[in-house]
Amino acid sequence: EGLILPLALKSFYSKDISMSFAASQAIKELGSISRDCLPGIMQNILMSIENVMRPHEVQNSLSLTSVLLKPILELDEGFDFLGQVMQIAVNGIDANDPTKTLYALRFFTALFMEVPLLDPKDISHISEKPEFLYVLNDLCTAILQRFEELFRNVPDLKKGNPFRSHMKDVLRRFFVSFFHQMSDALYSHCLSLITRQFSSSIFPTAKQIVGHLLSSLVHANATKSVNHLIPAILKKVITSDGEQIQSPASEAAYFMHLLGHIVSNAGSAVLIHVDQITAVLDVALFHEKSEIQREARKLLRKLLRGLLGVLPRDFSVLPPSKRSNMQKLTAQDIRKPTPSFQDMEIDFLTPNSDCQKKSREILEKYFLLSETAFKSNDAASIRAAFGCIDAMIRGGAQIFPMPRAKPEFQAQESSLQEGVECDDEDDTDYNLASRWGSFVLDDPEWGRGFREKLGLLLIESCKVHANVSNPDVPTIKALLKMVSSYLASNGVWTKYETLKSSASYHKAVNRSWFQGKESAYSRPLLVWRSYALMGKRLDMGVFEANGVVSDLLKHLSSMCVHDFSMVRKKAQKVLPKVIRRFPYLHVQCLTQVLSTLSDANSSKGALKGVIFTVQTNQAMKKIVRNWSLSKFLLNGLLGSHQYDEIKIQVRLSQLWSTYVKHWFALPFGGLKHSDSLMTDVDVTSAFSQEMVKKLFESGRNSSTYRAKKSQETYEGLVQLMKFQLDGSSGTSSSSVHWRYVVLATSSLILLSMRQDCTPDLKVVEYVIHGLNSDILPLRQLCRAVLFNFSLIYSVNRAKDCMETEGSTADTGIEGADNQLNPQNFEMPIDQEFEGPFSDEPWQASETKKQELWSNSAVMDLIDSLLSQSDWFKSVVEKISNDHRLSGDERAQTQSSNAPSMPAASVAVRSLVASRWFWPRTSAAPLSKDFNLDNMFAIEYLMLTAGPDASLNALPAIEELAGKVDDRENQCAAAEILAGVIRASNHWQNVQGTQIRQKLGSILKETLSRAAPDTVGDWCEMIRFSTSNRDPRRFNWLSRIVGSLCAANNDSALYLVKGLKLQQCLLMEFGWKGLPVARILNETSRRLIGNSSKLVREECGRSLLQISRGFSGTGEVRMTDQTIVLGKIIPDFELVDWITEDMTRLYNLYFSNRPTEGSQQLMELKNQIEGVIYYFMHSCRLGYSTSVKKYLVQAISLFLIIQEDSDREFAKVGQIALELIARTLRDRQTAAAVLGRVEELLSSSQSWRVRAGTVDFIRELGHSHVLEVDIKNKAFELLHRLISDPVVEVRISASQSLASILRAFSEEKVTYLLSLAPKPKRRGAKMQKEMSESERSAALVTRHAKVLGVSSAIISSPTDLPAWMPDAVCTLCLLHDEDPIIRNSITRTLADFRKSHEDMWETIRMTWNEEQFRLVTENAGTLSYYS
């Protein structure tokens, strides 16, 4: 409590939402566990609610009160506290501040879920009543008045308005909890107020909210409220003679809307008013005003639902047994009314016989009226009749329900999926009582007859109106809405999910961890949850199909491909709801829709309708699980080549992309089970062996049948695609639209990747030809997927020349445990190693491959193509040209790290890539333009063709690589050469050696002439070529790269290029690349003092990479060795020469510094700067452990150069010092570094060096704030530095001391305050004359004491500790000081005023008069620029 609560309360009132939420959760759990902290929390809440100057604190306080209601109510003073909060929170209901209104309503809702609203007169027998009960009458009146004001100012409920969504839900929950908790006296009082307020005034923009208020009011006490409200509302709707609607029409429509809300929850209480309401419907249903018709349809629907609905009896916190007998309530019932789970007494109101009889009369009456209107030729009357029928179905379908499906409908669905016809006949009755619980239909036969009669009427209407030739779009839309209601509606209220989520929300808010799970729900929430589950049970179910349903679904499906977009959108919107009710008719519906796709006479509108109908998750899931539907879709896509419009082809590509995502989401089978599984598993012994055998046999037959259908469909589609695309993938593809070519190629590739199909080798040939296509997206797609065929085909030319994959244990290395270490790979790079090699296993290499060693067709094809120099040269040129994208395309490529291509190929490319674990490298990419697809495509070609054919392809590659001035050509050359190198790793014969020799000559010439802007691409080439491979394979490549920095007189850019390439080589070799590390180490040591800053920086990076891989620093030690990656690696000290160099450089700079401005001094500074870059890169990249053993010596060098007159040079050392201080984590090294800094402070005569140590000590203290010895040593050094003779050092030390003081207790602050100087006495006698040095020393001492007090004051910028008044007043009393001291005092007091401005009123109230006067006079006044 003493540690968590103050911090949580301080964080809770933050303006940051995430911090406030986290703090509220901590306070909530703390309050649930410990009741002792609640009084302090309650006092803090009251203070914050009354603080009108900080509105966010008011909102957070109300939120906190809501979550702590249960613990607060258990306290004796809890009711009085809540009474105060309630009176203040009423003012939070404000239309001008939706957020504050939201928090206030949440508080009231949570409160009324726990406390009954009782009038003292109702519980007169209880002597000790909570005081707040006596103000409830006035409180309820005030709340209703605030709502009246709120409703008058609610803006239009348009999209984006906070009242539209979340606020409406909160208001609905509030109304339910508010009215249901009232006793009879309070309810009667509120009912009279509401009747006067809302029956005489209109609130057009808030009519939905007013309707929710009235429906909740009626539900709380239907008998009493209906007799008050309905007569008053009817007078506003219809004239006294019952013949006409009151004018104006807008006002009548408003009150008709309220009337609908009133009757929706009235139940049987509305029976006495039904005749009056039907009189309104007779006039309004076919009224000439559309707004009157719309509200009349809603009224009809809600009247039927009110008569037939299943509603909770009440939402009261008191169970019915206690609520009905108030005289037996006790004081404990008021303070903790929530009963146990077993005593909740939840009951539901169900429609009685009178309600069902009256509903049947209403349905028959308005069915006849609608049937008569259907026969007229007036479109408005027909639409009104459609709306009337729709309202009847949605409101009254409970008494004429759709027949439930048979339990065996799943078998029918299975047969329908495979195209087998089934019997639709249904003579099986269903048990209504088991379906509806206590709701039993009086006359089921009437319901069957009425639904049949209604269905026939709908079919006749569809034949007349649901056709393409009908231009009356509004009528068709009304018809579709009516048909969807008939097919999908159960006639129940469908907002049960909202209720369920509301209950879950309140459960999370009100959970009490102290009392356990049962206390998580109060009774209203449990009733709410039960009501939600009841609604879901009433609405659930799958319906039985018959001839009427089938005909209606055909008409609905045909409207999905209507030429008019508004009709299509309406049909597509309602179709998923219908399919969910009839899941076994999806084949019929989707087949009808997909047949339009392959119809050559289909219009563009119809095609768009097909695409948007099936491009949904529900439709796609059904299509991919049914091969007949998949075949319809693919045939339709392949039959769309006659459409040459870009928009159509783009839509088809998007459809294909959606299909691909769902297709790959399917599992591709599983493990093969043994035949004895059914007898091996213990769990099967509890079942009949015949039953278990039957189930296993059924699953096996299903899998076999699916594989058979898969193969048949695949073969047919492949033949169809190859026939239609014959020649279109070549250089001449003008016969069909290019987007269609890409789409069809994607189809071929995706089908070939299916694991349940035997691939067609012709597809591979087709893709290979696509590499030379004139269509850019097709080329990109073929390159992306070509290498994936190696998962399917292990195409192997000249198997005897292929290297067998070696393992770690098969390396020929001698030793007890055959462990690998860098010494095993240390061999001169001028020698060639012939094996065995130790390559890292490639994860994808474990994938089961289909061994097709005799696949000579693909090999012969690639041989013939590569033998044609023009073909491969054309492929290479196209790869190069594809890098020359426009500006927009290049931007898209760089942002997505993938080539720009249409949607049809993007989906296939991404999903194909996800199936294959490409070799990953150990660092981030150095070039976004390097395309892996091109590299892997070339690797596949070369690997399949073999070494002889690969030699024939090298001239074209050499020509491309020779164009060093063209960046795009260089990038393409890097990708192609990487593919060739990767393929050559498999050839250890004579041809393989010849290829590597040729590659070496090409790379040596190209890398030596490569432009600086292409270095990133060549680095990627080296990394991907050598990834996860034995470094001894690449001695030939190491020689080439190592020779790039052989001479010192090369240009800076040339040297940087060589260092970068060597770094990439070592990056992939890792600890195995000891020979390369030695070369790079010698090169870096030689070039670390180069005159170019770029070269010096690269040398620093190189040394860091060597230290990380071979120094062993910071790793777990085993005697004299280090454990790295599970392998024992000796500690190779390759960079130990840095110690000798730093000693030499320190002595030269400190003792024998060359003449200022001389060439020798410039060379010395370059060498020092190169060493600094080594440490900077190590710390910046988070590898300070690699250099920690050099830090003590390095600190001396970095600090001593701070006195240099070249401030840019000194700045480099300062940056290195800050990075070391922030990243050094080793406590022993940090202590040693601080000891070295202390020695330098004692010996250095340069104030710049001492100023540099101030920043370093501060940052090091922050980094080791939990290390007591280091923290104390930092405080000691900084306190010493505030007495420095130089004023700049003193001020900097004071500011650093203030920042580190926050990590100490008040003891350090008290110590600084005890050293505060006394004010000078006026009129005192002059002391004896002092020398100038003595006066200067006295001034420094006095200034240091003032700075110590300033540090203490500045260290607390957001709070007021007990010592703060004395500290501030100590500075205020220092008058007649020297200007230096006075400036420090003025600056400190001004900073105090600015940082504590928001607490100035607190200072005025808590400080005494003298203290406040002093700080006010000396701190000055704030201005805009202060």
Side-chain angles (χ1 to χ4, degrees):
E1 296 174 20
L3 178 63
I4 299 177
L5 185 59
L7 178 62
L9 286 174
K10 187 174 182 180
S11 303
F12 179 71
Y13 294 113
S14 171
K15 294 182 179 180
D16 185 85
I17 297 176
S18 59
M19 182 183 295
S20 176
F21 177 77
S24 69
Q25 295 298 309
I27 296 172
K28 166 189 165 184
E29 297 184 15
L30 187 62
S32 300
I33 297 172
S34 174
R35 298 294 189 266
D36 297 335
C37 63
L38 286 177
I41 297 175
M42 291 159 56
Q43 182 181 1
N44 196 289
I45 288 174
L46 279 178
M47 292 177 58
S48 300
I49 290 179
E50 295 172 354
N51 188 359
V52 296
M53 300 300 295
R54 299 173 70 84
H56 71 279
E57 290 191 7
V58 178
Q59 299 168 4
N60 292 349
S61 298
L62 290 175
S63 176
L64 183 58
T65 308
S66 302
V67 301
L68 289 176
L69 271 176
K70 285 193 174 184
I72 290 174
L73 286 172
E74 295 176 3
L75 301 179
D76 295 336
E77 65 273 21
F79 270 84
D80 295 334
F81 165 75
L82 292 175
Q84 299 178 58
V85 177
M86 287 169 62
Q87 294 181 21
I88 300 174
V90 171
N91 298 323
I93 304 175
D94 185 2
N96 297 321
D97 193 344
T99 305
K100 183 170 63 176
T101 303
L102 184 64
Y103 279 92
L105 291 175
R106 281 179 177 173
F107 163 70
F108 280 118
T109 303
L111 177 62
F112 296 154
M113 290 285 183
E114 302 291 342
V115 178
L117 302 180
L118 305 176
D119 194 285
K121 294 181 293 185
D122 296 326
I123 52 173
S124 57
H125 62 285
I126 299 178
S127 58
E128 297 181 2
K129 307 181 187 67
E131 294 183 2
F132 88 99
L133 294 181
Y134 292 93
V135 298
L136 282 181
N137 197 302
D138 296 336
L139 180 68
C140 294
T141 303
I143 290 176
L144 293 177
Q145 289 175 352
R146 298 292 295 187
F147 273 120
E148 182 180 8
E149 182 181 351
L150 176 70
F151 296 159
R152 292 188 186 277
N153 295 281
V154 169
D156 291 337
L157 299 179
K158 296 180 180 179
K159 191 173 183 180
N161 189 290
F163 280 92
R164 177 179 174 87
S165 55
H166 193 57
M167 184 67 78
K168 280 174 53 180
D169 295 335
V170 173
L171 283 168
R172 181 179 296 175
R173 291 195 295 266
F174 169 78
F175 293 146
V176 171
S177 61
F178 182 51
F179 293 118
H180 281 262
Q181 310 311 323
M182 292 182 179
S183 64
D184 291 339
L186 274 178
Y187 184 85
S188 300
H189 171 69
C190 292
L191 178 60
S192 61
L193 285 177
I194 291 174
T195 305
R196 288 197 306 269
Q197 289 176 349
F198 298 104
S199 64
S200 59
S201 304
I202 64 172
F203 308 92
T205 58
K207 67 177 183 179
Q208 292 183 349
I209 303 176
V210 176
H212 294 322
L213 183 149
L214 294 177
S215 62
S216 300
L217 178 70
V218 170
H219 190 194
N221 193 330
T223 304
K224 183 180 295 187
S225 57
V226 163
N227 294 331
H228 279 75
L229 293 172
I230 289 183
I233 298 296
L234 284 174
K235 294 178 182 178
K236 300 290 184 178
V237 177
I238 196 169
T239 58
S240 58
D241 57 1
E243 299 292 335
Q244 294 181 352
I245 296 295
Q246 292 278 18
S247 59
S250 59
E251 184 173 340
Y254 170 81
F255 285 107
M256 198 181 302
H257 181 87
L258 299 187
L259 184 61
H261 281 279
I262 292 172
V263 301
S264 63
N265 286 339
S268 59
V270 80
L271 284 173
I272 59 176
H273 301 284
V274 168
D275 294 337
Q276 297 170 287
I277 297 173
T278 53
V280 175
L281 293 173
D282 293 341
V283 180
L285 279 174
F286 295 91
H287 197 272
E288 59 183 3
K289 295 285 187 180
S290 60
E291 56 181 338
I292 297 294
Q293 289 185 19
R294 182 169 57 252
E295 295 300 337
R297 292 195 292 268
K298 292 181 181 179
L299 177 59
L300 175 59
R301 183 181 75 240
K302 292 179 180 179
L303 175 62
L304 291 171
R305 282 186 180 172
L307 291 170
L308 300 173
V310 179
L311 298 172
R313 188 173 297 278
D314 68 286
F315 287 94
S316 174
V317 70
L318 294 171
S321 59
K322 293 184 178 180
R323 185 176 178 85
S324 60
N325 194 352
M326 292 280 188
Q327 298 303 317
K328 292 185 178 181
L329 289 179
T330 64
Q332 181 65 16
D333 293 331
I334 300 175
R335 291 188 174 276
K336 192 177 180 182
T338 302
S340 63
F341 183 80
Q342 293 79 9
D343 300 330
M344 289 290 186
E345 301 180 24
I346 301 174
D347 190 16
F348 286 88
L349 297 173
T350 55
N352 54 30
S353 299
D354 294 336
C355 292
Q356 295 189 42
K357 179 180 179 182
K358 184 58 69 173
S359 299
R360 289 195 294 269
E361 293 175 0
I362 294 173
L363 290 171
E364 289 286 2
K365 177 180 180 179
Y366 292 109
F367 176 80
L368 294 175
L369 290 176
S370 301
E371 188 177 24
T372 304
F374 284 158
K375 299 177 182 179
S376 67
N377 294 325
D378 185 14
S381 299
I382 294 175
R383 286 195 296 270
F386 287 164
C388 181
I389 294 292
D390 178 70
M392 292 163 55
I393 296 171
R394 294 172 63 189
Q398 290 125 314
I399 57 174
F400 57 95
M402 183 73 75
R404 295 290 298 276
K406 301 176 185 178
E408 59 270 18
F409 82 93
Q410 296 177 348
Q412 296 178 8
E413 179 183 6
S414 177
S415 61
L416 280 170
Q417 286 183 354
E418 307 304 339
V420 181
E421 296 184 359
C422 66
D423 188 8
D424 289 337
E425 184 180 356
D426 175 30
D427 292 330
T428 305
D429 198 359
Y430 48 89
N431 190 339
L432 292 174
S434 64
R435 179 185 179 191
W436 301 112
S438 57
F439 180 12
V440 180
L441 293 181
D442 290 345
D443 193 353
E445 291 299 328
W446 178 90
R448 290 189 180 91
F450 186 79
R451 177 165 284 274
E452 182 179 357
K453 180 171 56 175
L454 190 59
L456 295 175
L457 181 62
L458 293 181
I459 290 177
E460 292 299 324
S461 302
C462 288
K463 291 179 179 179
V464 176
H465 300 284
N467 54 69
V468 179
S469 60
N470 186 5
D472 190 355
V473 174
T475 302
I476 300 177
K477 290 177 63 178
L479 175 62
L480 293 176
K481 182 180 180 182
M482 179 180 61
V483 171
S484 68
S485 298
Y486 177 82
L487 294 175
S489 177
N490 244 337
V492 299
W493 187 59
T494 57
K495 296 298 180 69
Y496 45 81
E497 289 296 337
T498 304
L499 292 179
K500 182 179 177 182
S501 62
S502 300
S504 300
Y505 166 78
H506 282 286
K507 174 183 176 181
V509 168
N510 295 313
R511 172 167 294 238
S512 173
W513 296 101
F514 181 76
Q515 296 180 1
K517 295 182 178 180
E518 288 189 359
S519 64
Y521 275 133
S522 60
R523 185 178 181 275
L525 292 178
L526 188 61
V527 176
W528 212 316
R529 173 80 170 182
S530 302
Y531 183 30
L533 296 177
M534 174 63 74
K536 186 173 184 179
R537 189 173 74 88
L538 294 177
D539 190 46
M540 67 186 298
V542 177
F543 298 156
E544 183 72 31
N546 51 34
V548 174
V549 172
S550 181
D551 289 344
L552 290 176
L553 194 58
K554 288 180 181 178
H555 288 291
L556 185 59
S557 302
S558 65
M559 291 298 99
C560 290
V561 294
H562 198 277
D563 285 341
F564 294 152
S565 62
M566 296 182 67
V567 175
R568 295 198 304 269
K569 290 178 181 178
K570 184 64 177 179
Q572 292 159 7
K573 181 179 180 181
V574 302
L575 183 62
K577 296 189 294 184
V578 177
I579 292 297
R580 277 194 291 268
R581 294 296 191 186
F582 302 94
Y584 46 91
L585 290 183
H586 69 273
V587 175
Q588 170 191 329
C589 176
L590 294 175
T591 302
Q592 181 180 352
V593 173
L594 291 173
S595 62
T596 308
L597 189 63
S598 56
D599 187 358
N601 298 322
S602 298
S603 62
K604 296 177 182 178
L607 284 175
K608 293 180 180 179
V610 174
I611 293 170
F612 287 107
T613 300
V614 302
Q615 201 174 1
T616 63
N617 289 334
Q618 183 193 39
M620 281 299 173
K621 287 178 181 178
K622 295 183 181 300
I623 290 174
V624 298
R625 285 167 171 80
N626 186 287
W627 271 108
S628 60
L629 293 178
S630 297
K631 188 171 183 178
F632 268 114
L633 175 62
L634 294 175
N635 279 332
L637 289 173
L638 296 173
S640 60
H641 59 83
Q642 68 269 20
Y643 302 107
D644 199 29
E645 186 178 348
I646 293 179
K647 290 184 178 180
I648 297 296
Q649 293 294 334
V650 170
R651 295 296 186 194
L652 293 171
S653 300
Q654 293 173 349
L655 175 61
W656 173 250
S657 300
T658 306
Y659 179 64
V660 167
K661 296 175 183 177
H662 287 82
W663 198 350
F664 264 86
L666 286 177
F668 294 113
L671 297 175
K672 182 180 179 181
H673 301 295
S674 63
D675 295 334
S676 61
L677 179 65
M678 63 183 71
T679 57
D680 295 339
V681 183
D682 293 337
V683 71
T684 60
S685 61
F687 302 93
S688 169
Q689 290 295 318
E690 291 76 12
M691 182 185 70
V692 174
K693 185 177 181 180
K694 183 178 179 181
L695 290 175
F696 272 77
E697 189 66 26
S698 176
R700 186 181 299 109
N701 294 339
S702 177
S703 300
T704 304
Y705 181 77
R706 177 179 173 83
K708 178 182 177 182
K709 298 294 290 186
S710 265
Q711 188 63 34
E712 292 177 358
T713 306
Y714 169 72
E715 292 174 356
L717 290 173
V718 167
Q719 293 299 324
L720 178 63
M721 282 184 273
K722 288 191 295 186
F723 174 76
Q724 291 185 348
L725 293 178
D726 187 23
S728 61
S729 63
T731 56
S732 60
S733 57
S734 58
S735 58
V736 294
H737 195 281
W738 67 269
R739 286 185 181 272
Y740 170 74
V741 176
V742 175
L743 185 149
T745 307
S746 302
S747 306
L748 273 174
I749 293 169
L750 187 61
L751 287 171
S752 298
M753 293 300 170
R754 288 288 299 224
Q755 293 187 1
D756 53 0
C757 298
T758 302
D760 189 343
L761 296 178
K762 295 295 183 181
V763 177
V764 184
E765 300 178 9
Y766 182 82
V767 174
I768 293 173
H769 279 292
L771 296 176
N772 197 29
S773 172
D774 290 337
I775 303 175
L776 170 62
L778 181 60
R779 298 197 302 268
Q780 293 173 328
L781 178 62
C782 292
R783 295 180 202 136
V785 302
L786 181 61
F787 193 73
N788 283 268
F789 287 110
S790 63
L791 287 172
I792 304 171
Y793 311 109
S794 283
V795 181
N796 213 344
R797 170 173 296 280
K799 185 178 178 181
D800 55 347
C801 74
M802 296 288 288
E803 176 199 345
T804 304
E805 292 286 344
S807 63
T808 301
D810 192 23
T811 58
I813 299 174
E814 298 181 359
D817 298 327
N818 207 15
Q819 295 281 358
L820 293 180
N821 61 62
Q823 292 176 334
N824 299 130
F825 298 91
E826 187 173 10
M827 64 172 298
I829 63 173
D830 57 352
Q831 300 178 9
E832 296 296 336
F833 184 70
E834 298 181 356
F837 297 103
S838 175
D839 294 328
E840 290 293 332
W842 197 1
Q843 184 173 1
S845 65
E846 302 300 325
T847 304
K848 183 179 180 180
K849 300 180 181 179
Q850 197 170 357
E851 300 290 346
L852 298 176
W853 300 103
S854 60
N855 180 18
S856 59
V858 176
M859 301 182 198
D860 294 341
L861 172 64
I862 296 178
D863 273 348
S864 62
L865 292 175
L866 290 180
S867 62
Q868 305 172 15
S869 58
D870 293 341
W871 183 86
F872 186 74
K873 184 176 181 180
S874 176
V875 171
V876 170
E877 290 176 353
K878 285 183 170 62
I879 293 177
S880 176
N881 291 332
D882 289 350
H883 282 279
R884 306 176 189 276
L885 305 175
S886 64
D888 295 338
E889 290 174 323
R890 182 174 291 277
Q892 182 180 353
T893 301
Q894 293 179 352
S895 62
S896 61
N897 202 21
S900 173
M901 57 179 68
S905 52
V906 167
V908 176
R909 180 189 184 277
S910 60
L911 288 167
V912 164
S914 67
R915 300 179 64 204
W916 179 261
F917 293 99
W918 299 120
R920 307 299 183 186
T921 56
S922 58
L926 302 177
S927 173
K928 293 183 178 180
D929 297 326
F930 191 89
N931 194 324
L932 294 178
D933 297 336
N934 297 337
M935 180 188 74
F936 287 125
I938 295 298
E939 179 184 0
Y940 177 84
L941 288 177
M942 299 301 166
L943 190 61
T944 308
D948 294 335
S950 299
L951 280 172
N952 297 331
L954 289 181
I957 302 175
E958 183 177 9
E959 181 182 354
L960 179 68
K963 301 176 182 179
V964 294
D965 296 331
D966 192 321
R967 184 182 181 280
E968 281 71 22
N969 280 335
Q970 289 291 287
C971 185
E975 296 162 357
I976 296 172
L977 283 171
V980 177
I981 294 173
R982 289 174 61 87
S984 69
N985 291 332
H986 295 274
W987 303 320
Q988 297 302 319
N989 53 4
V990 177
Q991 292 92 339
T993 303
Q994 293 176 354
I995 289 178
R996 283 187 287 276
Q997 291 175 352
K998 185 64 175 177
L999 289 173
S1001 62
I1002 295 175
L1003 284 174
K1004 184 175 182 179
E1005 179 68 18
T1006 304
L1007 293 179
S1008 62
R1009 298 170 52 202
D1013 58 346
T1014 62
V1015 173
D1017 300 319
W1018 289 110
C1019 287
E1020 290 293 280
M1021 183 274 295
I1022 290 177
R1023 289 176 56 188
F1024 281 101
S1025 301
T1026 59
S1027 175
N1028 299 326
R1029 290 291 185 176
D1030 192 324
R1032 294 170 293 185
R1033 289 182 181 274
F1034 301 99
N1035 284 349
W1036 62 276
L1037 184 59
S1038 300
R1039 290 194 297 271
I1040 296 172
V1041 175
S1043 64
L1044 294 178
C1045 300
N1048 288 330
N1049 56 357
D1050 291 329
S1051 66
L1053 294 178
Y1054 186 87
L1055 295 175
V1056 168
K1057 175 179 63 178
L1059 289 170
K1060 283 183 177 294
L1061 293 173
Q1062 291 182 40
Q1063 291 171 25
C1064 290
L1065 204 59
L1066 184 60
M1067 187 184 301
E1068 297 305 324
F1069 288 170
W1071 57 270
K1072 298 179 181 180
L1074 186 58
V1076 177
R1078 295 189 188 280
I1079 295 175
L1080 184 59
N1081 182 44
E1082 293 299 327
T1083 303
S1084 301
R1085 185 175 186 180
R1086 177 167 47 85
L1087 299 177
I1088 199 169
N1090 193 274
S1091 58
S1092 172
K1093 179 180 179 181
L1094 295 175
V1095 177
R1096 296 196 295 271
E1097 284 199 42
E1098 287 303 324
C1099 289
R1101 292 191 184 96
S1102 302
L1103 293 175
L1104 165 63
Q1105 196 169 347
I1106 296 171
S1107 299
R1108 284 178 53 197
F1110 298 95
S1111 68
T1113 306
E1115 306 293 344
V1116 180
R1117 297 265 178 183
M1118 286 184 58
T1119 62
D1120 58 341
Q1121 293 178 321
T1122 304
I1123 298 177
V1124 178
L1125 299 178
K1127 301 179 177 64
I1128 302 176
I1129 299 176
D1131 194 357
F1132 289 89
E1133 304 295 350
L1134 298 181
V1135 197
D1136 275 356
W1137 57 266
I1138 203 75
T1139 304
E1140 178 185 345
D1141 276 22
M1142 284 193 296
T1143 302
R1144 177 179 58 82
L1145 294 174
Y1146 180 84
N1147 293 332
L1148 282 175
Y1149 190 87
F1150 185 69
S1151 304
N1152 302 313
R1153 186 185 309 181
T1155 307
E1156 193 70 31
S1158 63
Q1159 181 66 26
Q1160 292 81 3
L1161 180 61
M1162 182 62 65
E1163 293 176 356
L1164 176 61
K1165 288 183 179 181
N1166 289 340
Q1167 294 180 28
I1168 295 175
E1169 188 173 328
V1171 173
I1172 291 175
Y1173 283 134
Y1174 168 45
F1175 288 89
M1176 284 177 60
H1177 290 307
S1178 300
C1179 297
R1180 184 175 62 87
L1181 298 176
Y1183 300 106
S1184 59
T1185 55
S1186 300
V1187 296
K1188 69 176 184 180
K1189 58 184 176 182
Y1190 311 123
L1191 286 180
V1192 176
Q1193 189 176 8
I1195 290 297
S1196 304
L1197 181 61
F1198 297 166
L1199 284 174
I1200 201 66
I1201 66 175
Q1202 296 303 307
E1203 65 181 10
D1204 198 280
S1205 58
D1206 186 354
R1207 300 314 303 159
E1208 183 178 354
F1209 175 62
K1211 185 67 176 178
V1212 176
Q1214 183 181 355
I1215 294 173
L1217 287 171
E1218 291 186 11
L1219 288 172
I1220 292 172
R1222 293 177 181 177
T1223 59
L1224 180 59
R1225 292 291 179 265
D1226 185 71
R1227 183 178 60 84
Q1228 295 179 351
T1229 305
V1233 167
L1234 272 181
R1236 181 55 182 160
V1237 169
E1238 187 176 12
E1239 294 176 6
L1240 288 174
L1241 286 176
S1242 302
S1243 60
S1244 177
Q1245 302 297 322
S1246 172
W1247 71 271
R1248 292 186 183 276
V1249 174
R1250 297 195 298 275
T1253 61
V1254 170
D1255 297 334
F1256 179 77
I1257 294 170
R1258 180 191 66 242
E1259 296 299 333
L1260 192 63
H1262 288 164
S1263 301
H1264 294 266
V1265 70
L1266 299 180
E1267 303 290 344
V1268 179
D1269 52 346
I1270 296 178
K1271 184 171 62 174
N1272 289 333
K1273 175 60 78 173
F1275 175 85
E1276 177 187 341
L1277 295 178
L1278 289 175
H1279 186 254
R1280 183 195 305 179
L1281 285 168
I1282 64 174
S1283 300
D1284 194 88
V1286 180
V1287 64
E1288 287 84 355
V1289 178
R1290 295 200 296 271
I1291 294 176
S1292 177
S1294 173
Q1295 295 171 350
S1296 300
L1297 186 61
S1299 66
I1300 205 173
L1301 269 178
R1302 301 168 191 169
F1304 290 93
S1305 62
E1306 292 188 1
E1307 295 180 359
K1308 297 293 185 183
V1309 176
T1310 305
Y1311 169 71
L1312 293 176
L1313 296 180
S1314 66
L1315 302 177
K1318 303 296 182 183
K1320 292 182 179 180
R1321 291 179 298 171
R1322 295 184 179 180
K1325 294 182 179 181
M1326 296 292 295
Q1327 297 181 358
K1328 63 179 182 178
E1329 293 294 334
M1330 293 187 296
S1331 65
E1332 185 67 26
S1333 60
E1334 291 174 338
R1335 283 197 299 271
S1336 177
L1339 176 61
V1340 169
T1341 302
R1342 190 170 182 84
H1343 191 203
K1345 295 179 178 180
V1346 170
L1347 290 176
V1349 179
S1350 299
S1351 300
I1353 295 173
I1354 298 173
S1355 66
S1356 298
T1358 58
D1359 52 359
L1360 290 171
W1363 50 262
M1364 184 65 77
D1366 294 334
V1368 174
C1369 293
T1370 298
L1371 295 185
C1372 293
L1373 293 173
L1374 297 179
H1375 302 288
D1376 300 329
E1377 300 289 342
D1378 289 281
I1380 293 177
I1381 298 177
R1382 194 60 203 166
N1383 288 340
S1384 297
I1385 294 173
T1386 303
R1387 184 172 58 252
T1388 301
L1389 295 177
D1391 291 342
F1392 172 78
R1393 178 65 186 267
K1394 285 189 290 186
S1395 61
H1396 292 79
E1397 179 63 24
D1398 57 345
M1399 306 176 66
W1400 206 249
E1401 289 300 321
T1402 305
I1403 294 175
R1404 185 195 302 274
M1405 296 172 61
T1406 56
W1407 291 20
N1408 62 43
E1409 184 177 351
E1410 180 64 18
Q1411 291 172 339
F1412 186 74
R1413 183 187 64 79
L1414 285 173
V1415 72
T1416 305
E1417 291 177 355
N1418 290 274
T1421 57
L1422 287 179
S1423 67
Y1424 180 80
Y1425 299 98
S1426 61

